Amino acid sequence: MKKSFVFFFFLVSVFGIAQELMSPNGNFKMKFYLLEDGTPTYQLFYHNTEIIKRSKLGLELKNDTKSLLNDFQLADSKTASFDETWKPVWGEETKIRNHYNELAVTLQQRQTDRKIIIKFRLFDDGLGFRYEFPEQKNLVYFVVKEERTEFAMTGDHTAFWIPGDYDTQEYDYTESKLSEIRKLFRGAVTENASQQQFSDTGVQTSLMMKTTNGIYINIHEAALINYSCMHLNLDDKNFVFQSHLTPDAKGDKGYLQAPCVSPWRTIIVSNDARYILASRMTLNLNEPCKIEDTSWIKPVKYVGVWWEMITGKSAWAYTDDVQAVQLGVTDYTKVKQSPKHAANTKHVKEYIDFAAQHGFDAVLVEGWNEGWEDWFGKSKDYVFDFITPYPDFNVQELHKYAASKGIKMIMHHETSGSTRNYERHMDKAYQFMKDNGYDAVKSGYVGNILPRGEHHYSQWINNHYQYSIEKAADYKIMVNAHEAVRPTGICRTYPNLIGNESARGTEFQAFGGSKPNHTTILPFTRLMGGPMDYTPGIFEMNISKLNPNNNSHVNTTLANQLGLYVVMYSPLQMAADLPEHYNQFLDAFQFIKDVPVEWEKSVYLEAEPGYYTTIARKDKNSNDWFVGNSNGLKERVSEINLDFLDKGKKYEATIYADAKNADYKTNPQAYTISKQKVTQKSKLSINTKIAGGFGISIKEIK
Amino acid sequence: MKKSFVFFFFLVSVFGIAQELMSPNGNFKMKFYLLEDGTPTYQLFYHNTEIIKRSKLGLELKNDTKSLLNDFQLADSKTASFDETWKPVWGEETKIRNHYNELAVTLQQRQTDRKIIIKFRLFDDGLGFRYEFPEQKNLVYFVVKEERTEFAMTGDHTAFWIPGDYDTQEYDYTESKLSEIRKLFRGAVTENASQQQFSDTGVQTSLMMKTTNGIYINIHEAALINYSCMHLNLDDKNFVFQSHLTPDAKGDKGYLQAPCVSPWRTIIVSNDARYILASRMTLNLNEPCKIEDTSWIKPVKYVGVWWEMITGKSAWAYTDDVQAVQLGVTDYTKVKQSPKHAANTKHVKEYIDFAAQHGFDAVLVEGWNEGWEDWFGKSKDYVFDFITPYPDFNVQELHKYAASKGIKMIMHHETSGSTRNYERHMDKAYQFMKDNGYDAVKSGYVGNILPRGEHHYSQWINNHYQYSIEKAADYKIMVNAHEAVRPTGICRTYPNLIGNESARGTEFQAFGGSKPNHTTILPFTRLMGGPMDYTPGIFEMNISKLNPNNNSHVNTTLANQLGLYVVMYSPLQMAADLPEHYNQFLDAFQFIKDVPVEWEKSVYLEAEPGYYTTIARKDKNSNDWFVGNSNGLKERVSEINLDFLDKGKKYEATIYADAKNADYKTNPQAYTISKQKVTQKSKLSINTKIAGGFGISIKEIK
């Protein structure tokens, strides 16, 4: 680690004094200005092209005669340079370089004698900045009415957006011009278990855009801790995004106590979409790992008793006879078991057998605990206790059985959004896990939040997710939180957060389907903040075969599903389909069995949001490589240069690709498997269908 | 216990079918009618005098086309009789008779085919009724928009009321006609740490009234569990009270799941105010004790490091140098200790010495833990951790020291209203108590509630108080919750709830003073629901002697303070003043030393709300009796007949009374102590001043 002062420039402009900062390699330049009325602004250039026009910075406070918006003068200005390489506990690569130049401007508000610092970090892949509120007399406790950060675009860019919403992120992405968002907005809002929009031009981060000049711009946030999650509200006349924080039950956006800081606002920019995916800015803007012993944190490949419930083939609920559960009162031993209840000991053993047979690490089981008969939509406070299994689920027996086969069980804690109830039971629930051999939990927050009036992404509830992660770490438990706030790189600091859903996952393929190019966008949006438990691996696309009442169709080819194991980076990967479907295609299933969940490095071969993504990754524990592709809206030939392979080594590549007659709608299971010898000099040319893709395993020949 | 069917009457009236029920001794009669539109109503008579005019019953539901207000038909009607005598763990007497006749009407709503039961229990001292929602198909989960229970008065009664408020109960009582409430309302609203009124004719329960015919009527509720606290909103043209529940952050009044019940609504009536005090209806309407082993629940007489902070002589905060605390970050060992910080080891030992010397059970210490520098009014989430003492408070040393002298320490958990934070730390905090010899906790909820938008008496927060009580019971900890919702007899079910504040306590005597007759009203209002930690025993009425900047005056005589130990029943009694003040009046202090906190029985000798209350109680552990009087607005001679004493036994009475020249304002410390031999045939005549009173110990001569 080295930290040293670097040059920066003072410019005198018509707007007053300006500071200028360059990125380490000079690609980026940012300017900080104070307007005449003392409003702070910033501007961002990439290769001398303006990316962010002069944009205002500041916060509006509640019950405060003077907000933190203007009347500032420059009290101090400091620059620094930082260059450090650190090792993540898990990740897309084993070493990450954190290299930036920093500008910290201290602003003094004349009338109030308050100080804030705006800290800019300019990397070679973009800009991060945040508000810092140092300890001082005149600004101690304050309530944020709204953060007023602007991101002024230079034109009517193409955006890949989902509707801004306080309670869900599970929308399909819309590709449109910024000017088209308003008219497309209502159509983009599809039904969800809990949702509340705030503006017909409100969108979520991470927001991916592309200019007419082919520059890619990604806006998100990093290190969202003790703060409300940021949306972007577009002024679509001027193409200016304004930050819009998620409110609490009273409509307030945040309660802060100085000294404190806001999350980082990030702008990642490149003229090559691959470098957006390669950016580590989000992680770099988070604090180093705070867990001392991380030996217990291990990537996981798993199967689960889950897809059969999602499709409606099976059920979470134990019985159809109980209308309204009273935990501790309802006697499940006296009611009729539903034949659809999947989380029964016998059936779970079949999954354990399958997992052991095929080399998986773990088995997730949902619907194992009392309460599923009326868990959703009832605003139930005491909805689950997280420790009481249904009569047909023998925790101890399954623990022993799984352990005897080298399989771990993955716990499931659906909270139904009832956060107080979860916190009340958390210690016992985590201890129950440890007592019964579980060291990872999938948590869920489906439905409206309790306490009522709060939202999934408000400061109060973000604080709950963080509490859960930290408490889980105390118990050495890994967390995979579904429906929680979108990740912002916190997994660097708390690497036991091994996954999140926080976007439209594979489950929606059984809820009517997702767009065919969905997974060509997710790496540029949702995954910018951290890994997603996307649950790929669906081999049977016709859901009515599982459940005659469900006419959903999985909008991808089978080969695409394989490619996702590489494209959608996660230390937690599921093979989501039923064992019986894998048994029908064991040759294709071999790729899922082979693909690792720990990587040494990643190479981004091809990328265009909405259209294609091809990534190569090297196994952490061997010299093998794996390549994955997800293809979007157009059939395409993927041209791959294998120059990332080790010089002089020989490999055998096994290519799992779309068959010529493959079609995601009519013939999704048509794939080919071919093998060929390859070296560093090889080039591959692979045809990919709409919503198609491929997976390649490249194994060293010794 | 005996439960049998009793007679009841069907009456045919112009309004349809009516049911009539008599109390066991025939004093009371209640009628249930269904109006023509199917609206349920009730009516109450006492000695054939109408007490409650025909009053409507029902609930308004949210998002429901058909509320539970009308369109009902009588589906079933059952009566029963109940007579049982039970033994409280502690109380005003060792045996309590629970004797009532019951009428349960099952009402079927025609249009919706929903059923509710309204259950009436008619005792010899009044009526209790509640709504019951049995398990059924068409009413499972529902949201209460408002409970629409009416209490229609027969005239413009005199009431002893405090303003209805969602966040505080700490008001002085106003005596006025019902018709005068509106004009007096704003004047009755005094400043509080957290407050929100809802109507200029809204008042709180327990509400004490008196008719022009000398009938006393008390309205309150019993068994307030998983429901919102009820206020009464007066239609002052018709003298009809309507129930008004405390809303949650969204304005909703309650989330219910059938089967469930509402709290009981209670109407206690007598033509003799003493029988209002003697009523056990509130307790009887609560469930029997749910704690199996109650051996650890013991009444407590205590002193505390508290009054010196309340008066401003000392401080809770450790230092004046920290503006904003960050728990775990702020290093108290590096800041300057304030000379006013009272909770220091040396000073606490002085209290322990004093407690041991004078036979007290325990010492309370406030301000012992980190966080008091900025605990109030900042809406701080993580405001206390409840386990980290200031550097000058040695928990282990004090525990040992206290134990060596036979003294228990009482823990203090101020939550600052931050309920989630308290729940997060509760297990550790309670365990910390057990590890360090504390078995009772005074908890506090000063200031606005977190989660923000909730109120002190909403269902969500009532649920928190209940959670705290039940969890404390798991740890065998006794709870004395301040600022929590007013009690409703729950101490029968959870007798570890040994006290509550939940009204204007003695502290207000140091905040500008309370009305001179305050403690002649409290037994008829606040104490109807359960014991109050009123913290009597102030001997120095001139607060400026403790703190020159505090000009408050304690508006009672010293003799009145002694009387309160008997008048204000509580198993938890404090001697609240400073040891140095007791040392000045050791002869008077003897009464506080002598007075027990466990009683065998109680005799209500004289009572008139606002004017006087005289109660005799027999020690549970001897044949001694103690009499207490609190006098109100008029100087008066209390005439006491000692016929409650055992026949044939001889006693020595020590009478601590106002001196002739005593005056609560100018000469409050003027008292006399006289002794005389008494028997069952004795009569005493004792002069009491305005805000005066007396205490008498009557010890058997063996």
Side-chain angles (χ1 to χ4, degrees):
Chain A
M1 173 182 140
K2 105 186 153 180
K3 192 151 188 170
S4 62
F5 287 92
V6 291
F7 291 101
F8 71 101
F9 308 89
F10 280 100
L11 299 178
V12 177
S13 81
V14 293
F15 303 99
I17 292 175
Q19 274 77 33
E20 206 173 291
L21 186 71
M22 302 293 289
S23 70
N25 68 1
N27 278 355
F28 285 92
K29 182 172 70 181
M30 66 91 31
K31 291 183 184 176
F32 173 79
Y33 298 86
L34 271 177
L35 300 187
E36 275 187 286
D37 71 346
T39 300
T41 70
Y42 74 105
Q43 209 176 351
L44 182 66
F45 298 86
Y46 171 68
H47 290 308
N48 293 318
T49 301
E50 191 176 44
I51 299 298
I52 305 287
K53 293 165 68 177
R54 185 174 304 114
S55 295
K56 293 181 180 176
L57 296 166
L59 295 101
E60 189 179 348
L61 304 189
K62 188 185 176 188
N63 300 330
D64 197 288
T65 50
K66 191 76 183 170
S67 281
L68 297 171
L69 292 170
N70 51 38
D71 194 31
F72 287 108
Q73 59 186 4
L74 189 68
D76 194 11
S77 177
K78 287 202 176 93
T79 58
S81 182
F82 189 85
D83 190 358
E84 179 192 57
T85 297
W86 58 279
K87 294 182 179 177
V89 174
W90 45 259
E92 296 180 73
E93 54 199 0
T94 52
K95 291 177 186 172
I96 292 175
R97 186 176 181 190
N98 185 9
H99 189 197
Y100 58 81
N101 289 333
E102 181 177 291
L103 167 67
V105 291
T106 300
L107 302 177
Q108 184 171 30
Q109 201 170 32
R110 289 178 177 86
Q111 193 183 312
T112 64
D113 195 25
R114 289 170 169 175
K115 278 183 187 169
I116 65 169
I117 296 168
I118 306 180
K119 188 171 280 179
F120 299 92
R121 288 186 179 167
L122 199 52
F123 299 78
D124 288 336
D125 46 359
L127 173 68
F129 63 87
R130 72 177 180 187
Y131 302 95
E132 300 187 353
F133 310 95
E135 196 171 345
Q136 58 194 293
K137 198 179 161 192
N138 293 340
L139 184 69
V140 188
Y141 307 93
F142 53 106
V143 182
V144 178
K145 190 172 172 188
E146 188 60 275
E147 183 183 318
R148 296 288 184 198
T149 301
E150 288 183 353
F151 304 86
M153 299 296 107
T154 57
D156 191 10
H157 305 333
T158 295
F160 299 84
W161 57 272
I162 55 174
D165 196 300
Y166 299 152
D167 285 299
T168 187
Q169 300 144 151
E170 299 176 355
Y171 292 120
D172 252 325
Y173 287 89
T174 299
E175 176 185 348
S176 82
K177 292 283 181 188
L178 296 177
S179 59
E180 296 169 327
I181 291 177
R182 184 182 298 276
K183 73 176 181 209
L184 297 171
F185 189 87
R186 284 293 135 198
V189 175
T190 47
E191 209 180 335
N192 198 274
S194 174
Q195 56 194 149
Q196 184 169 336
Q197 301 88 44
F198 56 88
S199 155
D200 277 3
T201 56
V203 297
Q204 302 195 26
T205 73
S206 117
L207 177 68
M208 188 68 210
M209 287 175 284
K210 186 179 183 181
T211 73
T212 50
N213 297 327
I215 295 176
Y216 301 86
I217 304 171
N218 186 285
I219 302 179
H220 191 34
E221 61 181 313
L224 171 56
I225 288 184
N226 197 23
Y227 203 85
S228 160
C229 174
M230 177 179 74
H231 297 78
L232 299 174
N233 198 18
L234 178 67
D235 166 359
D236 55 355
K237 283 186 186 156
N238 301 298
F239 306 128
V240 175
F241 288 106
Q242 288 208 335
S243 54
H244 178 100
L245 303 180
T246 309
D248 70 8
K250 293 173 73 182
D252 300 326
K253 302 298 182 86
Y255 283 74
L256 301 182
Q257 173 188 332
C260 62
V261 297
S262 78
W264 296 92
R265 280 63 186 92
T266 61
I267 307 161
I268 299 172
V269 182
S270 179
N271 52 16
D272 185 332
R274 296 177 302 169
Y275 292 106
I276 303 292
L277 301 180
S279 173
R280 302 290 176 254
M281 231 178 82
T282 314
L283 290 174
N284 281 328
L285 288 169
N286 276 271
E287 295 291 309
C289 182
K290 289 191 174 173
I291 300 174
E292 273 188 37
D293 169 18
T294 58
S295 60
W296 50 276
I297 301 172
K298 295 199 170 83
V300 180
K301 191 157 56 173
Y302 73 105
V303 296
V305 186
W306 174 74
W307 186 244
E308 53 187 287
M309 282 91 96
I310 288 289
T311 55
K313 173 186 167 73
S314 304
W316 285 271
Y318 176 77
T319 180
D320 299 325
D321 293 354
V322 173
Q323 186 184 14
V325 176
Q326 289 184 287
L327 294 175
V329 177
T330 302
D331 186 349
Y332 283 97
T333 65
K334 299 205 171 134
V335 299
K336 192 183 161 197
Q337 180 188 16
S338 160
K340 290 180 77 177
H341 184 239
N344 64 76
T345 304
K346 179 171 172 292
H347 192 50
V348 172
K349 282 185 178 175
E350 293 164 5
Y351 274 85
I352 293 170
D353 291 342
F354 181 81
Q357 183 187 344
H358 294 289
F360 285 83
D361 303 307
V363 175
L364 164 75
V365 185
E366 297 200 359
W368 67 277
N369 58 325
E370 290 187 1
W372 286 92
E373 287 70 21
D374 66 348
W375 70 284
F376 175 71
K378 309 296 191 300
S379 201
K380 271 189 87 163
D381 185 352
Y382 184 30
V383 56
F384 289 114
D385 74 0
F386 311 99
I387 58 169
T388 306
Y390 283 131
D392 60 348
F393 185 84
N394 190 322
V395 175
Q396 288 77 22
E397 185 181 335
L398 285 167
H399 173 208
K400 270 190 211 162
Y401 188 79
S404 76
K405 304 216 161 192
I407 297 294
K408 284 275 186 184
M409 300 296 290
I410 298 181
M411 176 49 73
H412 183 230
H413 289 167
E414 175 54 51
T415 68
S416 189
S418 185
T419 62
R420 181 175 71 177
N421 181 58
Y422 189 32
E423 292 194 13
R424 284 179 174 181
H425 293 85
M426 200 174 274
D427 274 298
K428 279 190 181 159
Y430 285 163
Q431 190 57 53
F432 179 85
M433 285 177 60
K434 300 312 282 187
D435 293 345
N436 293 289
Y438 295 78
D439 52 16
V441 61
K442 172 183 175 179
S443 57
Y445 296 88
V446 176
N448 292 334
I449 289 290
L450 273 71
R452 299 173 188 104
E454 287 290 338
H455 295 290
H456 278 76
Y457 317 132
S458 59
Q459 181 189 26
W460 185 260
I461 304 301
N462 292 342
N463 183 307
H464 163 81
Y465 305 133
Q466 188 61 29
Y467 177 78
S468 309
I469 295 165
E470 294 181 31
K471 190 173 266 291
D474 292 343
Y475 286 86
K476 302 196 173 181
I477 285 172
M478 298 180 282
V479 174
N480 164 27
H482 282 225
E483 295 90 24
V485 69
R486 41 196 168 277
T488 55
I490 287 170
C491 57
R492 178 183 177 186
T493 315
Y494 297 96
N496 66 317
L497 179 61
I498 53 168
N500 271 113
E501 184 187 45
S502 307
R504 188 177 178 93
T506 296
E507 63 185 8
F508 277 85
Q509 299 282 20
F511 300 163
S514 291
K515 290 186 178 175
N517 66 342
H518 189 53
T519 56
T520 66
I521 302 171
L522 281 174
F524 295 94
T525 53
R526 163 63 184 78
L527 268 65
M528 295 301 292
M532 176 170 178
D533 184 29
Y534 185 71
T535 69
I538 304 302
F539 280 13
E540 179 51 67
M541 312 305 172
N542 182 350
I543 303 303
S544 69
K545 285 194 180 173
L546 290 82
N547 173 9
N549 300 318
N550 186 341
N551 291 317
S552 297
H553 180 84
V554 178
N555 291 323
T556 79
T557 67
L558 191 152
N560 171 283
Q561 293 286 328
L562 299 182
L564 298 181
Y565 286 89
V566 184
V567 168
M568 304 281 283
Y569 168 69
S570 176
L572 181 79
Q573 286 287 19
M574 185 180 202
D577 210 338
L578 309 186
E580 63 207 66
H581 296 145
Y582 292 132
N583 285 331
Q584 290 172 36
F585 304 96
L586 283 174
D587 56 352
F589 187 54
Q590 188 63 42
F591 182 81
I592 300 179
K593 292 171 65 172
D594 290 345
V595 72
V597 283
E598 299 192 86
W599 305 107
E600 188 176 306
K601 57 182 165 182
S602 297
V603 181
Y604 303 87
L605 301 173
E606 303 180 303
E608 181 64 29
Y611 297 89
Y612 53 86
T613 302
T614 314
I615 301 174
R617 304 191 198 268
K618 182 177 177 297
D619 183 14
K620 194 175 179 180
N621 303 305
S622 76
N623 285 320
D624 300 343
W625 284 77
F626 292 79
V627 183
N629 164 283
S630 174
N631 191 48
L633 296 175
K634 291 180 187 166
E635 187 166 348
R636 179 175 174 273
V637 177
S638 174
E639 307 280 0
I640 305 174
N641 189 330
L642 300 188
D643 57 3
F644 51 81
L645 295 177
D646 279 0
K647 198 175 171 180
K649 284 198 174 122
K650 288 182 182 173
Y651 302 85
E652 182 180 65
T654 308
I655 304 169
Y656 304 75
D658 293 324
K660 277 187 185 168
N661 60 343
D663 182 290
Y664 80 94
K665 281 199 164 158
T666 59
N667 195 22
Q669 292 168 327
Y671 59 87
T672 62
I673 301 177
S674 60
K675 288 179 192 284
Q676 66 183 84
K677 302 275 185 299
V678 296
T679 68
Q680 192 199 27
K681 293 177 183 169
S682 304
K683 289 181 167 55
L684 298 175
S685 183
I686 304 169
N687 196 52
T688 58
K689 301 289 185 180
I690 296 171
F694 58 81
I696 312 174
S697 64
I698 304 176
K699 300 193 178 185
E700 187 186 5
I701 302 168
K702 290 177 184 170
Chain B
M1 174 180 141
K2 108 186 151 176
K3 190 151 190 167
S4 61
F5 288 91
V6 290
F7 291 101
F8 71 102
F9 307 90
F10 279 98
L11 299 179
V12 178
S13 80
V14 291
F15 303 100
I17 292 175
Q19 273 78 32
E20 206 173 291
L21 186 71
M22 301 294 288
S23 71
N25 68 1
N27 279 354
F28 284 93
K29 182 171 69 180
M30 65 93 29
K31 290 183 186 177
F32 173 80
Y33 298 87
L34 271 177
L35 301 187
E36 274 186 286
D37 70 347
T39 300
T41 71
Y42 74 105
Q43 208 176 352
L44 182 66
F45 300 85
Y46 170 69
H47 289 308
N48 293 318
T49 301
E50 189 177 46
I51 299 297
I52 304 288
K53 292 165 67 178
R54 185 174 306 113
S55 296
K56 292 181 180 176
L57 297 166
L59 294 101
E60 190 179 349
L61 304 188
K62 188 186 177 189
N63 300 327
D64 198 288
T65 50
K66 191 75 186 170
S67 281
L68 297 170
L69 292 170
N70 51 39
D71 193 32
F72 287 109
Q73 60 186 2
L74 189 68
D76 194 12
S77 177
K78 286 202 177 93
T79 58
S81 182
F82 189 86
D83 190 359
E84 178 193 58
T85 297
W86 57 279
K87 294 182 179 178
V89 174
W90 46 259
E92 296 180 70
E93 54 198 1
T94 52
K95 290 177 186 173
I96 293 176
R97 186 177 182 188
N98 185 10
H99 189 196
Y100 59 81
N101 289 335
E102 179 177 291
L103 168 66
V105 290
T106 300
L107 303 176
Q108 184 171 30
Q109 201 170 32
R110 289 178 177 87
Q111 194 182 310
T112 64
D113 194 26
R114 291 170 168 173
K115 278 183 186 168
I116 66 170
I117 296 167
I118 305 179
K119 189 170 280 178
F120 299 91
R121 287 186 179 167
L122 198 51
F123 298 79
D124 287 336
D125 45 0
L127 174 67
F129 62 88
R130 71 178 180 187
Y131 302 96
E132 301 187 350
F133 309 96
E135 195 170 347
Q136 59 193 293
K137 197 178 161 193
N138 293 339
L139 184 69
V140 187
Y141 307 93
F142 54 105
V143 182
V144 178
K145 191 171 172 189
E146 188 60 275
E147 183 182 317
R148 297 287 184 202
T149 301
E150 288 183 354
F151 304 86
M153 298 297 106
T154 57
D156 191 9
H157 304 334
T158 295
F160 300 84
W161 56 273
I162 56 174
D165 197 300
Y166 299 152
D167 284 299
T168 187
Q169 299 145 153
E170 298 175 354
Y171 292 120
D172 252 325
Y173 286 89
T174 299
E175 176 185 348
S176 82
K177 291 284 182 187
L178 296 178
S179 58
E180 296 168 328
I181 291 177
R182 184 182 298 276
K183 72 175 183 210
L184 296 171
F185 189 87
R186 284 293 134 197
V189 175
T190 49
E191 209 180 335
N192 199 275
S194 174
Q195 55 194 150
Q196 184 169 335
Q197 301 88 43
F198 56 89
S199 155
D200 277 4
T201 56
V203 297
Q204 302 195 27
T205 72
S206 123
L207 177 69
M208 189 66 212
M209 288 174 285
K210 185 178 182 181
T211 72
T212 48
N213 296 327
I215 295 176
Y216 300 87
I217 304 171
N218 186 285
I219 302 180
H220 191 34
E221 61 182 313
L224 172 55
I225 289 184
N226 196 25
Y227 203 86
S228 160
C229 174
M230 178 179 74
H231 298 79
L232 299 175
N233 198 18
L234 178 66
D235 166 358
D236 54 354
K237 282 185 186 156
N238 300 299
F239 308 127
V240 176
F241 288 106
Q242 287 208 332
S243 52
H244 178 100
L245 303 180
T246 308
D248 71 9
K250 294 174 72 181
D252 299 326
K253 303 298 181 85
Y255 283 74
L256 301 182
Q257 173 188 333
C260 63
V261 298
S262 77
W264 294 93
R265 281 63 186 93
T266 61
I267 306 160
I268 300 172
V269 182
S270 180
N271 54 14
D272 185 333
R274 298 178 301 170
Y275 292 106
I276 303 293
L277 302 179
S279 173
R280 302 290 175 253
M281 231 179 81
T282 313
L283 290 174
N284 280 330
L285 287 169
N286 275 271
E287 295 291 308
C289 182
K290 289 191 175 174
I291 300 174
E292 273 189 36
D293 170 17
T294 58
S295 60
W296 49 275
I297 300 172
K298 294 198 169 84
V300 179
K301 190 157 57 173
Y302 72 106
V303 295
V305 185
W306 174 74
W307 186 244
E308 53 186 288
M309 281 91 95
I310 287 289
T311 54
K313 173 185 169 72
S314 304
W316 285 272
Y318 176 76
T319 179
D320 298 326
D321 293 355
V322 173
Q323 186 185 14
V325 176
Q326 288 184 287
L327 294 175
V329 177
T330 302
D331 186 349
Y332 283 98
T333 65
K334 298 206 171 133
V335 298
K336 192 181 160 197
Q337 181 187 17
S338 160
K340 290 180 77 176
H341 184 238
N344 64 75
T345 304
K346 179 171 172 290
H347 192 51
V348 172
K349 282 185 179 176
E350 293 164 6
Y351 274 85
I352 293 171
D353 291 342
F354 181 82
Q357 184 188 346
H358 294 289
F360 285 84
D361 302 306
V363 174
L364 165 75
V365 185
E366 296 200 359
W368 68 276
N369 58 325
E370 291 187 1
W372 286 92
E373 286 71 19
D374 68 346
W375 71 283
F376 175 70
K378 310 297 190 300
S379 201
K380 270 189 88 163
D381 185 352
Y382 184 30
V383 57
F384 290 113
D385 74 359
F386 311 99
I387 57 169
T388 307
Y390 283 131
D392 60 347
F393 186 85
N394 191 322
V395 174
Q396 288 78 22
E397 185 181 333
L398 285 167
H399 173 208
K400 271 189 209 161
Y401 189 80
S404 76
K405 303 217 162 191
I407 296 296
K408 284 275 186 185
M409 300 297 289
I410 298 181
M411 175 50 72
H412 184 230
H413 289 167
E414 175 55 49
T415 68
S416 188
S418 185
T419 61
R420 181 175 71 177
N421 181 59
Y422 189 32
E423 291 194 14
R424 284 179 174 181
H425 294 86
M426 200 174 275
D427 274 298
K428 280 191 180 158
Y430 285 164
Q431 190 56 53
F432 178 86
M433 285 177 59
K434 299 313 283 187
D435 293 345
N436 293 289
Y438 295 79
D439 53 15
V441 61
K442 172 183 174 179
S443 58
Y445 296 87
V446 175
N448 292 336
I449 288 290
L450 271 73
R452 299 174 188 102
E454 287 290 338
H455 295 290
H456 278 75
Y457 318 131
S458 60
Q459 182 189 25
W460 186 260
I461 304 301
N462 292 342
N463 183 306
H464 163 82
Y465 306 132
Q466 188 62 29
Y467 177 77
S468 309
I469 295 165
E470 293 181 32
K471 190 174 267 291
D474 292 343
Y475 285 85
K476 301 195 174 181
I477 285 172
M478 297 181 280
V479 174
N480 164 27
H482 282 223
E483 294 89 24
V485 69
R486 42 196 168 277
T488 54
I490 288 170
C491 58
R492 177 182 178 187
T493 315
Y494 298 96
N496 66 318
L497 179 62
I498 53 168
N500 272 113
E501 183 187 46
S502 308
R504 189 179 180 93
T506 296
E507 62 185 9
F508 278 86
Q509 299 283 19
F511 301 162
S514 291
K515 290 186 177 175
N517 67 342
H518 190 52
T519 57
T520 66
I521 301 171
L522 281 175
F524 293 96
T525 53
R526 164 62 184 77
L527 269 64
M528 294 302 292
M532 178 170 177
D533 184 29
Y534 184 72
T535 69
I538 305 302
F539 280 14
E540 178 51 68
M541 312 304 173
N542 181 351
I543 302 301
S544 69
K545 286 194 179 173
L546 290 82
N547 173 10
N549 299 318
N550 187 340
N551 291 317
S552 296
H553 181 85
V554 178
N555 290 323
T556 78
T557 67
L558 192 152
N560 171 284
Q561 292 286 327
L562 299 182
L564 298 182
Y565 288 87
V566 183
V567 168
M568 303 281 283
Y569 168 69
S570 176
L572 181 78
Q573 286 286 20
M574 186 180 202
D577 210 337
L578 310 186
E580 63 207 67
H581 297 147
Y582 292 133
N583 284 331
Q584 289 172 35
F585 304 96
L586 283 174
D587 57 351
F589 187 54
Q590 189 62 43
F591 182 81
I592 299 179
K593 292 171 65 171
D594 290 345
V595 72
V597 282
E598 299 191 85
W599 304 108
E600 188 176 308
K601 57 182 167 181
S602 297
V603 182
Y604 304 87
L605 300 174
E606 302 180 303
E608 182 65 27
Y611 297 88
Y612 54 84
T613 302
T614 314
I615 302 174
R617 303 192 199 268
K618 183 177 177 297
D619 182 14
K620 194 174 177 181
N621 303 305
S622 76
N623 285 322
D624 299 343
W625 284 77
F626 292 80
V627 182
N629 164 283
S630 174
N631 191 45
L633 296 174
K634 290 181 185 166
E635 188 166 347
R636 177 173 175 276
V637 177
S638 174
E639 307 279 2
I640 305 173
N641 190 330
L642 300 189
D643 57 4
F644 51 80
L645 295 176
D646 278 0
K647 197 173 173 181
K649 286 201 173 117
K650 289 182 180 172
Y651 302 85
E652 181 179 64
T654 308
I655 304 168
Y656 305 74
D658 294 324
K660 277 187 184 167
N661 60 344
D663 182 290
Y664 81 94
K665 281 198 167 159
T666 59
N667 195 22
Q669 292 169 326
Y671 59 87
T672 61
I673 301 176
S674 59
K675 289 179 191 285
Q676 66 183 83
K677 302 275 184 300
V678 296
T679 68
Q680 191 198 31
K681 293 178 181 168
S682 303
K683 289 181 167 55
L684 297 175
S685 182
I686 304 169
N687 196 51
T688 59
K689 300 289 184 179
I690 295 172
F694 57 80
I696 311 173
S697 65
I698 304 175
K699 299 192 180 188
E700 187 185 4
I701 302 168
K702 289 177 187 173

